[in-house]
Amino acid sequence: MSELIIQEKVIDNIKGKAISKTANDQNTDDIVPARYLKEITFEKMGEYVYIDERIKDGNKVEEHPFNKSGASEAKILLAGANYGCGSSREHAPQALHKFGINAIIAESFAEIFAGNCASLGVVCVTVSSEIISKLAEYLEKNPLAELEIDLNKKMITCGEEKIEFDMPEGRRQAFLKGTWDAMAILQQDKEGIKKIEDNLEYLSY
Amino acid sequence: MSQKTLYDKVWKKHIVGELPTGQTQVFVSRHMMHEVTSPQAFEMLREKKISVKHPELTFCILDHVIPTHDLSRPFEDNQAELMTSTVEENTKEFNITYFGPGSGKQGVCHVAFPEQGLIWPGQIIVCGDSHTCTYGAFGTLAFGIGTTQVSHVLATQTLAMDKLKVRRINFNGKLNKGVGAKDLALYMIMKLGVKGGVGFAYEFGGEAIENMSMEERMTICNLAVEGGARLGYINPDKITFDYLKEKEFAPKKYFEKAVEYWKSIASDSDAQYDDVVDIDVPQVEPMVTWGVNPEQTIGVSEIIPSSNKFEGKLKEEAEDALNYMGLNAGDKIEGTPVDVVFIGSCTNGRLIDFKQAAEILKGKKVAVKTLVVSGSEEVKKQAEEIGIDKIFIDAGAEWRLPGCSMCLAMNPDKLVGTQRCASTSNRNFKGRQGSPTGRTHLMNPYTAAASAIEGKITNPGKYLGGYPLKGIKKNE
């Protein structure tokens, strides 16, 4: 099977302002409440990200990290452990992505959420809880400072420092080759799919 | 590394090939859909001018936005109406079987599809819904996916996935009266945490599981995802095969051949697991969540914990949760007043759940607004055949049409303000039940019914003939 590279979709570097929101177990209902799932397109999802935290009793919560001045220019989110737990709703990563987030640094991710991010081209990388605290401290002192995530070198650049991150190797390769939207590579092996179809006896039961 | 488990066998059988990214391409045996996560996926197909590869392996239903009080069209909620007409058009255009209201087969997807015999052991079954893990009760690998992945399955009948590790959880011993699958799941999540299962498939077994009906097995598998696991399953056995026999979509002519295959994919007696956990079932009492995730749970006879019982970030989370939930550490959870009771959902919306609630509500009256929402048209019909609906109506509860309803309140069934709900659903996240400040306590149907009578969280033991319920070992 030939190596597929989709040049125009290659993602190897994300550089931009970072929002810090490092509570653990932030769930998909926090990110996008269920009532917004009634929209049949993802167009407006960016308007709803963390909406019930950001607006209380009709008033904007000024201290919310996504409400701070400059937050709408952010490309990177710093999060805690088990980020995106809960529902499989793709609306959650869509909301973050449409808000402007292209990469998330967390201690760990809920699986379905991380898979959904990959499908959209949102890069998810993990570091230890100590590094999360360190980055959070840096961003507290330097609000919305720029970070850089280099997928080739597996490094985060924060100020003068370079910090190594983790991510599933398969996903990293998919971003580097532009095949993170798996539709193209899933369509390739027509023979392989036919072989399974012909050999799964229960399909005829 | 796991070996000879059901997971290993079924995974291997469905491998199409290794992808250049290192992920595995797997074949999807059956694809279940609902109205919320499908519209954008169908649109993606239209944009790419692709048709559905296997419409005969694809089934769709309406459950999340459907009202449970009045089905006249157009629905009052414009968005719900648009979402409904969209799914009707999409399933027609792409030639997909659709169970709509009035078909006799409509309901909450994870209740309705299994009862039609659509879920078989030894398969890979997906849906754009995290509680797809429910189907694992049949000894099948079932898990939730996102909308873009839904489009992948529609177009290719395959997915790019990574192999999971397998954790075996032994539920040893017999259930106490009034304690059920819901409580075992909440107890497990309390012990292992909401992130405990990340990277794992859960295999549930042990005496308590072996004695469970298919309905109860579905309840426990439903909650695997709340413990962080991608999927949870139970090895198929005679109970599984008996359930499937005669169901409309079960194998007919080849039923015996199917059973042979199904027996063959069960975990071997010498299967190896990446991890094994033992749970002492007689220690488990009816459970109630006190916080804002399913890990923040205690036994119904216990005291709401102080945040000092937790360390690090869990301590902060506990403080935040107690504040949001308006609870005081040191108070008993029993006696907490509730405003609404919700009995239903893909977790506890099957006939057995309504039988349990009816056992307690018979001849009694509810003190608060109580919504009893059947899991499907079929469940509703069966419940009415045995007169359970009358028990609920006589008690002053509302007997509603099938749908997801107040589990996540995408339809008109919502909490208002800081209302507190005793709920048989699966998530107690902040704002889950329709109000950004609403409060949810998860519990089993017995506990919910008892709470409805008293208007406060109540130990169901009080209404179950005084049968002694053992408390859990208190960790002081």
Side-chain angles (χ1 to χ4, degrees):
Chain A
M1 202 167 38
S2 65
E3 173 86 285
L4 182 65
I5 296 180
I6 306 178
Q7 202 54 50
E8 66 272 20
K9 284 191 160 182
V10 165
I11 295 174
D12 58 6
N13 188 293
I14 299 107
K15 190 173 176 181
K17 294 186 176 162
I19 296 177
S20 177
K21 191 179 193 301
T22 57
N24 283 351
D25 304 315
Q26 293 179 60
N27 64 61
T28 47
D29 289 47
D30 296 328
I31 301 169
V32 176
R35 60 191 186 274
Y36 298 106
L37 273 55
K38 287 191 282 187
E39 299 198 358
I40 57 171
T41 71
F42 292 130
E43 242 174 79
K44 291 170 49 179
M45 284 300 131
E47 295 172 33
Y48 310 133
V49 74
Y50 286 111
I51 196 165
D52 286 344
E53 290 181 0
R54 294 165 64 196
I55 300 179
K56 290 202 191 252
D57 296 321
N59 297 317
K60 194 169 152 191
V61 176
E62 296 295 341
E63 331 78 76
H64 194 281
F66 277 70
N67 280 341
K68 297 221 169 105
S69 157
S72 58
E73 292 150 36
K75 288 202 167 52
I76 298 175
L77 171 64
L78 182 71
N82 200 27
Y83 188 72
C85 62
S87 158
S88 64
R89 61 188 69 161
E90 191 177 297
H91 307 64
Q94 287 276 1
L96 290 162
H97 191 43
K98 294 220 166 353
F99 183 88
I101 303 295
N102 291 333
I104 309 173
I105 304 166
E107 189 185 328
S108 60
F109 292 93
E111 270 177 63
I112 306 179
F113 179 86
N116 285 342
C117 283
S119 297
L120 306 182
V122 174
V123 174
C124 291
V125 306
T126 55
V127 292
S128 68
S129 65
E130 289 78 31
I131 301 286
I132 296 284
S133 300
K134 192 174 173 171
L135 290 168
E137 234 183 272
Y138 177 81
L139 288 171
E140 180 146 2
K141 295 198 178 94
N142 308 283
L144 288 161
E146 206 173 72
L147 298 179
E148 184 175 352
I149 296 173
D150 184 332
L151 272 91
N152 277 308
K153 300 203 180 88
K154 282 179 82 172
M155 291 286 183
I156 299 166
T157 305
C158 169
E160 296 299 310
E161 252 193 279
K162 292 206 187 298
I163 302 164
E164 215 182 310
F165 65 74
D166 260 316
M167 78 183 290
E169 184 57 17
R171 285 235 171 95
R172 191 174 76 96
Q173 290 300 327
F175 284 118
L176 291 173
K177 298 192 166 89
T179 53
W180 43 267
D181 178 353
M183 184 71 98
I185 48 169
L186 288 172
Q187 288 176 308
Q188 275 201 300
D189 190 3
K190 295 199 186 333
E191 266 174 48
I193 299 175
K194 178 122 195 3
K195 188 156 170 241
I196 284 272
E197 286 169 346
D198 292 341
N199 288 322
L200 281 175
E201 336 79 345
Y202 64 71
L203 287 175
S204 61
Y205 286 170
Chain B
M1 218 180 65
S2 64
Q3 279 183 50
K4 305 193 209 171
T5 66
L6 181 152
Y7 180 80
D8 295 297
K9 296 182 189 183
V10 178
W11 173 264
K12 190 167 172 206
K13 197 175 170 68
H14 291 80
I15 293 177
V16 171
E18 295 303 314
L19 293 165
T21 55
Q23 289 194 296
T24 308
Q25 183 169 11
V26 293
F27 185 82
V28 173
S29 321
R30 264 201 182 130
H31 183 199
M32 314 324 247
M33 307 180 76
H34 59 63
E35 79 278 19
V36 179
T37 52
S38 61
Q40 301 88 346
F42 284 119
E43 199 50 44
M44 289 175 200
L45 254 64
R46 275 193 197 92
E47 278 166 21
K48 297 182 159 113
K49 297 196 176 25
I50 308 175
S51 57
V52 175
K53 191 163 203 288
H54 282 286
E56 80 285 5
L57 299 179
T58 314
F59 296 82
C60 189
I61 212 160
L62 180 70
D63 58 2
H64 283 63
V65 300
I66 193 171
T68 61
H69 64 294
D70 179 4
L71 294 179
S72 352
R73 302 289 292 276
F75 295 141
E76 267 177 55
D77 179 339
N78 296 336
Q79 287 185 310
E81 176 56 40
L82 178 58
M83 195 154 243
T84 303
S85 56
T86 301
V87 76
E88 287 165 345
E89 282 157 25
N90 280 333
T91 49
K92 208 180 253 157
E93 181 183 332
F94 289 95
N95 201 24
I96 288 168
T97 305
Y98 172 66
F99 296 157
S103 66
K105 297 183 170 61
Q106 180 267 340
V108 176
C109 54
H110 308 310
V111 176
F113 290 136
E115 73 194 351
Q116 296 299 326
L118 278 164
I119 310 298
W120 302 356
Q123 298 196 320
I124 292 188
I125 304 185
V126 301
C127 177
D129 191 284
S130 56
H131 293 109
T132 306
C133 49
T134 305
Y135 307 143
F138 288 82
T140 215
L141 304 186
F143 51 91
I145 56 175
T147 300
T148 300
Q149 288 179 300
V150 168
S151 74
H152 297 164
V153 180
L154 288 172
T156 68
Q157 202 66 28
T158 65
L159 271 177
M161 294 298 290
D162 290 306
K163 197 173 182 209
L164 297 165
K165 293 181 288 189
V166 186
R167 172 179 285 147
R168 165 86 181 186
I169 304 190
N170 291 313
F171 288 97
N172 301 315
K174 290 191 167 53
L175 285 163
N176 295 310
K177 174 78 178 158
V179 182
K182 180 67 166 280
D183 308 294
L184 292 185
L186 287 175
Y187 185 86
M188 170 191 76
I189 296 167
M190 179 184 74
K191 289 280 180 193
L192 300 178
V194 292
K195 345 187 212 313
V198 175
F200 283 93
Y202 277 175
E203 177 177 304
F204 300 126
E207 189 185 346
I209 300 290
E210 285 160 25
N211 292 332
M212 273 185 192
S213 64
M214 287 311 297
E215 290 176 309
E216 292 165 294
R217 293 177 183 190
M218 282 189 255
T219 296
I220 202 167
C221 289
N222 174 276
L223 291 162
V225 70
E226 301 310 323
R230 190 65 182 266
L231 61 94
Y233 67 84
I234 292 169
N235 284 304
D237 56 15
K238 187 170 186 305
I239 293 177
T240 321
F241 312 143
D242 287 346
Y243 179 93
L244 280 167
K245 204 172 172 76
E246 308 307 339
K247 293 279 189 299
E248 184 171 333
F249 289 86
K252 293 283 183 311
K253 189 167 157 206
Y254 296 110
F255 189 77
E256 295 310 318
K257 269 187 109 180
V259 170
E260 263 175 56
Y261 168 59
W262 296 342
K263 282 180 178 164
S264 77
I265 50 86
S267 297
D268 291 350
S269 52
D270 61 343
Q272 284 173 43
Y273 301 90
D274 294 284
D275 189 33
V276 179
V277 168
D278 283 282
I279 290 184
D280 186 18
V281 171
Q283 292 300 320
V284 183
E285 62 168 326
M287 305 296 285
V288 179
T289 62
W290 55 266
V292 296
N293 67 47
E295 177 183 330
Q296 294 174 332
T297 295
I298 45 179
V300 70
S301 71
E302 291 202 294
I303 308 286
I304 297 164
S306 151
S307 61
N308 291 325
K309 286 201 154 179
F310 304 95
E311 278 173 21
K313 270 180 160 171
L314 286 176
K315 186 174 161 149
E316 277 168 50
E317 282 182 56
E319 269 164 30
D320 181 62
L322 288 172
N323 194 37
Y324 178 86
M325 294 296 287
L327 296 173
N328 299 316
D331 285 352
K332 297 189 74 165
I333 187 80
E334 207 182 344
T336 306
V338 298
D339 304 293
V340 182
V341 174
F342 170 62
I343 301 175
S345 84
C346 59
T347 314
N348 288 119
R350 299 177 183 83
L351 188 63
I352 195 172
D353 304 306
F354 300 116
K355 280 180 173 173
Q356 289 182 353
E359 201 180 321
I360 295 207
L361 285 169
K362 187 167 186 176
K364 307 271 188 307
K365 295 281 186 206
V366 299
V368 293
K369 181 179 170 92
T370 301
L371 260 63
V372 185
V373 184
S374 37
S376 68
E377 291 181 325
E378 182 59 32
V379 168
K380 185 168 188 289
K381 178 166 154 254
Q382 290 176 17
E384 287 168 0
E385 275 164 9
I386 56 177
I388 282 182
D389 58 322
K390 295 208 169 34
I391 293 176
F392 296 133
I393 294 166
D394 288 345
E398 297 174 44
W399 176 239
R400 295 291 192 96
L401 301 164
C404 299
S405 182
M406 206 180 259
C407 172
L408 81 170
M410 280 182 74
N411 80 343
D413 308 331
K414 298 179 208 284
L415 295 182
V416 175
T418 55
Q419 279 186 329
R420 192 179 298 278
C421 182
S423 180
T424 65
S425 52
N426 45 56
R427 285 193 181 129
N428 52 334
F429 294 159
K430 290 180 188 172
R432 173 74 179 178
Q433 294 189 286
S435 161
T437 48
R439 288 132 175 197
T440 303
H441 293 272
L442 303 177
M443 59 192 73
N444 82 28
Y446 282 130
T447 317
S451 303
I453 296 169
E454 306 231 345
K456 49 194 178 189
I457 295 178
T458 301
N459 191 329
K462 190 170 171 184
Y463 291 92
L464 287 171
Y467 190 96
L469 294 175
K470 296 180 186 143
I472 27 184
K473 279 207 188 99
K474 308 217 184 316
N475 297 317
E476 296 294 62

